[in-house]
Amino acid sequence: MAWTEAKQIAEAILDGFERHYRLFREITDGARARFEEADWPAVQSAARERISFFDTRVGETVALLRRELHLRDPSDILWRRVKIEYLRLLPLHHQPELAETYYNSVFCRLFDRRYYNNSYIFVWPMLSTEHLEAEIPIFRPYYPARDGFARVIAGILGGMGFQRPFRDQRRDIRCLMRAIRDRFPRNRAVHQNFQLAVLSEPFYRNKAAYIIGKAINGADQIPFVIPILNNEGERGAGGGLYVDTLLSGEDEISDVFSFSRAYFMVDTEVPAAVIDFLRPLMPRKGKAELYTAIGLQKFGKAEFYRDFLKHLRYSADDFVVAPGIRGMVMCVFTLPSFPFVFKVIKDRFPPPKEMTRETVKEKYQLVKFHDRVGRMADSWEYSLVAFPRHRFSPALLEMLEHDCAESLEVEEGQLIIKHLYIERRMSPLNLYLRTADDEDLRHAIGEYGDAIKQLAAANIFPGDFLFKNFGVTRQGRVVFYDYDELCYLTECHFREIPPAPYPEMELADEAWYSAGPNDVFPEEFETFLLTDTRIRALFWELHSELLDPAWWRARQDHIRSGHLEDVFPYPRERRFGLREKQPPASGAGDRALHPAALP
């Protein structure tokens, strides 16, 4: 009887996962039609909806198990048998790693954390995905030496299955040929089996489709990406698809897959095969980041935790307070040998902060579901995470026990943090600026202003512009990561500072003008941000418009009118350019989508 019950439970959980992945693929498969029809509101809606799919399906499965099978507290025999029965269902499965994660989520939703051990859940994967293959090959090989580059490029563009025609494919082929000649040295020896391997399905995100491939020349693998945009005009009247640029090399490709960008939509029967294709192209990105990048963030989260446990086992350094100015809302710590930070919400927030723990969580959810345009860090959210207490430095323990005691438990030598966020570690911008030379300072201030402008393009107002709330990535990109003051740009009221009734009032400690809760005075930014003369001069040269309330109101008007400002995940100068005059873009980043434009 126990084995029959175990089999029923296992089958019910796998049925729940298969329903989840079927619906996940259905909404993902619709990305092609949304892109070709230029239905950008539907693109944004689908991206938001898909993020919630996993948790919704887990909730449905938990409800079914409680209702139909009358589950009691777990017993060693029953749930070990359930795990065995579940494992028996997976050897021929095309998404076994995702199915294991789904099982873990169902179990952990059902029962107390004291049962989270390897006897009950898949702490480590039980099945290898290394040689999993889809029934239809995930990539196609092309041979330029045999067929010629022009014919190969035409074959790649035609092989993506787009129904909407390219506006001027001859022009696209010429631009790609020119880019290939410019970017790849002619004196490099060509291997006799030189080929291009191109993923069969494009990657869709916001208003672009991306063709992903690699050039294989002997032992060398050179990644490349071809972004495809939609001119959005009527068929036969200047509309159609076009190639925007050619990106190549690890750094450029990694930026397209950055943790600060929205998730791709790419339909795949075997996600592990797609990840195996991508990993050699971006060796500094782990499986966790790549799974997350294609919208499988729950498995990415599980895979990250496995990497973290392994790193803990093979390291000996202590967790320490993260460098930088301590925040008023979060306690932040890091492990020096591990490139991530851990953020815990404080128990209480000192004035002038007026918010609750739930408000902070809502801000992080807003970022998760919003288009991050390459300027807001994504984070993994965890509950009930156990750390070895002896690995915490005395200063860190003191900080956590003083500021976050309500989020802590101690159990058998482990420090359990009830709720935390984990993000990629960056250099705090304020620390970076202290040691930057003239060239780096100019780049950083340029990036800082561009980040603010691109967030505005995506209807995001950071709230707190202090340099300590921004980080610098390995590629020198400035990213915003402090969300407690964040809000929609359209919620703000941008005002000029009124003239002082008397000149003496300008020297007073308190302002002579009143401010409502949503009032923003951009002219004030100079007072508290630009105290360094070098920074002030650069900011005035590069971004003086950010101090003008009229500029901010114009951005609001664009958003409210449904105008979708273009930003790209590559430098503007890399674009091939179009015959028609293009509207001004807001810099490097994705093509932004605005919530205000949605129905």
Side-chain angles (χ1 to χ4, degrees):
M1 179 63 183
W3 281 104
T4 300
E5 186 179 7
K7 185 176 181 181
Q8 287 179 322
I9 294 171
E11 289 175 345
I13 296 174
L14 188 61
D15 285 347
F17 167 73
E18 290 179 341
R19 170 173 161 76
H20 157 67
Y21 201 67
R22 183 177 68 254
L23 294 173
F24 182 93
R25 288 192 67 185
E26 285 177 5
I27 196 169
T28 301
D29 188 50
R32 181 189 302 273
R34 293 187 289 270
F35 167 70
E36 295 192 32
E37 294 166 9
D39 190 351
W40 311 134
V43 167
Q44 186 77 4
S45 177
R48 290 171 179 265
E49 182 182 355
R50 195 182 66 165
I51 290 172
S52 302
F53 272 24
F54 187 94
D55 285 335
T56 301
R57 300 290 90 77
V58 167
E60 292 172 355
T61 301
V62 167
L64 182 144
L65 291 175
R66 286 174 172 161
R67 182 178 65 249
E68 301 293 334
L69 297 174
H70 309 293
L71 291 182
R72 55 194 179 277
D73 289 341
S75 66
D76 288 346
I77 294 177
L78 174 62
W79 279 94
R80 286 179 182 176
R81 287 176 175 175
V82 172
K83 186 178 175 183
I84 292 170
E85 289 292 342
Y86 195 79
L87 196 56
R88 286 175 178 170
L89 300 172
L90 298 183
L92 299 179
H93 207 280
H94 284 149
Q95 308 95 33
E97 76 282 30
L98 308 186
E100 288 179 350
T101 299
Y102 190 88
Y103 178 96
N104 291 349
S105 295
V106 170
F107 184 91
C108 293
R109 187 85 64 91
L110 281 168
F111 301 115
D112 186 87
R113 74 160 298 280
R114 66 179 180 275
Y115 298 106
Y116 300 179
N117 61 63
N118 204 32
S119 298
Y120 298 101
I121 62 175
F122 299 97
V123 175
W124 302 101
M126 302 296 288
L127 295 173
S128 171
T129 60
E130 185 176 354
H131 300 294
L132 273 181
E133 283 290 339
E135 294 181 10
I136 300 175
I138 66 161
F139 70 88
R140 300 187 184 98
Y142 297 87
Y143 298 90
R146 183 189 70 190
D147 301 325
F149 257 111
R151 183 175 295 179
V152 163
I153 292 171
I156 291 172
L157 299 180
M160 291 295 109
F162 295 122
Q163 298 301 305
R164 189 173 181 86
F166 282 81
R167 188 181 58 183
D168 187 348
Q169 192 171 100
R170 293 176 120 187
R171 170 253 179 209
D172 292 336
I173 292 173
R174 285 196 305 271
C175 288
L176 284 168
M177 292 282 288
R178 191 180 305 118
I180 291 168
R181 287 195 296 269
D182 290 345
R183 304 208 65 186
F184 297 97
R186 297 184 182 184
N187 58 357
R188 174 177 288 184
V190 178
H191 193 272
Q192 62 180 359
N193 192 41
F194 174 72
Q195 64 174 282
L196 305 181
V198 180
L199 286 171
S200 304
E201 290 290 329
F203 285 47
Y204 297 93
R205 183 172 63 201
N206 293 346
K207 298 170 70 176
Y210 298 87
I211 298 173
I212 313 290
K214 57 186 174 184
I216 303 171
N217 188 31
D220 295 334
Q221 293 190 22
I222 304 171
F224 65 86
V225 169
I226 303 173
I228 309 294
L229 304 185
N230 187 341
N231 199 43
E232 306 179 34
E234 296 295 329
R235 294 176 188 266
L241 309 182
Y242 61 92
V243 173
D244 198 45
T245 189
L246 173 68
L247 306 174
S248 63
E250 180 189 348
D251 284 346
E252 291 190 347
I253 309 310
S254 293
D255 199 19
V256 174
F257 281 79
S258 170
F259 63 88
S260 59
R261 302 194 185 280
Y263 306 140
F264 286 108
M265 289 206 171
V266 53
D267 183 40
T268 173
E269 179 189 8
V270 182
V274 173
I275 300 304
D276 284 346
F277 183 96
L278 294 174
R279 288 190 72 189
L281 311 186
M282 295 169 279
R284 297 185 186 184
K285 288 190 180 292
K287 287 171 63 176
E289 291 179 271
L290 294 175
Y291 271 98
T292 298
I294 64 172
L296 298 168
Q297 69 273 14
K298 291 296 184 179
F299 180 76
K301 176 179 167 180
E303 189 66 17
F304 171 85
Y305 191 65
R306 288 165 179 158
D307 291 342
F308 172 60
L309 291 177
K310 188 178 294 185
H311 184 87
L312 277 180
R313 184 174 185 181
Y314 292 101
S315 64
D317 53 331
D318 286 344
F319 292 95
V320 296
V321 178
I325 299 172
R326 294 191 184 183
M328 301 174 73
V329 171
M330 290 284 195
C331 284
V332 185
F333 63 95
T334 189
L335 189 66
S337 61
F338 197 58
F340 293 85
V341 294
F342 305 81
K343 303 171 74 171
V344 186
I345 302 173
K346 292 185 177 182
D347 297 337
R348 285 163 293 280
F349 314 133
K353 296 291 184 182
E354 296 181 357
M355 60 185 63
T356 65
R357 173 184 293 271
E358 290 307 313
T359 303
V360 177
K361 290 181 179 179
E362 288 169 5
K363 300 290 186 181
Y364 274 80
Q365 279 294 96
L366 187 157
V367 173
K368 172 69 70 176
F369 284 84
H370 199 83
D371 179 9
R372 293 183 290 279
V373 293
R375 297 299 186 177
M376 291 190 291
D378 192 17
S379 57
W380 285 303
E381 184 177 5
Y382 289 86
S383 299
L384 299 169
V385 180
F387 295 86
R389 190 176 185 276
H390 72 276
R391 294 281 294 272
F392 279 63
S393 71
L396 174 57
L397 275 177
E398 181 182 359
M399 180 183 75
L400 291 174
E401 290 169 353
H402 181 270
D403 294 332
C404 308
E406 295 176 10
S407 295
L408 307 180
E409 291 181 3
V410 178
E411 181 180 298
E412 297 179 355
Q414 292 184 318
L415 183 67
I416 298 162
I417 299 181
K418 297 177 185 178
H419 182 262
L420 58 75
Y421 299 95
I422 302 177
E423 296 174 359
R424 171 68 69 169
R425 187 169 64 219
M426 293 175 272
S427 299
L429 179 58
N430 61 310
L431 300 185
Y432 182 91
L433 294 175
R434 288 180 191 175
T435 58
D437 59 24
D438 290 345
E439 182 180 353
D440 288 341
L441 187 68
R442 184 179 187 86
H443 173 81
I445 295 304
E447 274 284 302
Y448 169 73
D450 284 345
I452 294 170
K453 292 173 183 176
Q454 288 160 19
L455 289 171
N459 197 22
I460 290 293
F461 184 69
D464 192 340
F465 282 32
L466 292 176
F467 298 134
K468 71 181 182 69
N469 298 324
F470 293 77
V472 183
T473 69
R474 181 178 59 84
Q475 293 89 356
R477 189 172 183 80
V478 170
V479 174
F480 180 57
Y481 55 51
D482 193 320
Y483 305 140
D484 53 275
E485 298 286 348
L486 174 148
C487 65
Y488 289 119
L489 187 76
T490 47
E491 295 176 350
C492 299
H493 181 208
F494 293 97
R495 295 175 53 191
E496 286 85 0
I497 296 177
Y502 308 102
E504 298 80 12
M505 297 187 73
E506 295 185 1
L507 303 177
D509 292 336
E510 296 184 3
W512 61 89
Y513 49 92
S514 61
N518 295 325
D519 285 349
V520 179
F521 298 88
E523 296 160 277
E524 292 181 336
F525 299 164
E526 182 175 11
T527 303
F528 63 82
L529 278 178
L530 308 181
T531 55
D532 184 299
T533 54
R534 292 192 305 160
I535 292 175
R536 182 188 301 114
L538 285 171
F539 193 91
W540 269 102
E541 176 189 348
L542 301 173
H543 303 299
S544 59
E545 61 269 36
L546 294 177
L547 305 176
D548 182 1
W551 184 89
W552 291 95
R553 292 194 292 265
R555 302 283 77 71
Q556 290 177 315
D557 291 342
H558 278 218
I559 293 169
R560 289 170 179 144
S561 68
H563 174 76
L564 306 184
E565 197 170 342
D566 288 346
V567 288
F568 304 92
Y570 39 86
R572 290 180 61 190
E573 60 268 20
R574 295 297 306 278
R575 303 185 66 204
F576 290 155
L578 304 174
R579 292 175 181 172
E580 293 78 14
K581 184 179 179 181
Q582 292 297 301
S586 61
D590 271 330
R591 308 189 80 199
L593 296 177
H594 310 304
L598 304 181

